[in-house]
Amino acid sequence: MNNLKLKILRIKAGLNQAELAGRLNVTQAAISSWERGLTMPGTKIIPKLAKTLNCTIDELYGEG
């Protein structure tokens, strides 16, 4: 997953880290970790993440 792309998509969606975390039922620290490239979201959360950010899974991976 492209961590910079994730941050850009989140900002484009008008969400801060805490708001995105609330929608995904994860911690703000998890979002921060994903955006810094330290960890990645689990496979079960990726479709919900894409839907919340109004993008495709390919876009999350920097391919769209």
Side-chain angles (χ1 to χ4, degrees):
M1 177 170 290
N2 184 325
N3 55 320
L4 178 58
K5 183 79 168 199
L6 175 58
K7 183 175 183 177
I8 291 167
L9 289 168
R10 175 182 57 77
I11 292 168
K12 186 177 175 183
L15 300 169
N16 62 38
Q17 288 182 346
E19 291 166 334
L20 181 57
R23 292 186 185 193
L24 299 175
N25 200 29
V26 299
T27 65
Q28 183 272 328
I31 303 296
S32 176
S33 181
W34 300 345
E35 289 185 357
R36 291 182 291 141
L38 301 176
T39 61
M40 294 188 51
T43 56
K44 291 184 178 183
I45 207 157
I46 291 173
K48 186 173 181 180
L49 177 60
K51 184 176 180 179
T52 302
L53 296 177
N54 196 32
C55 68
T56 65
I57 292 172
D58 284 345
E59 286 177 295
L60 286 174
Y61 284 88
E63 298 179 21

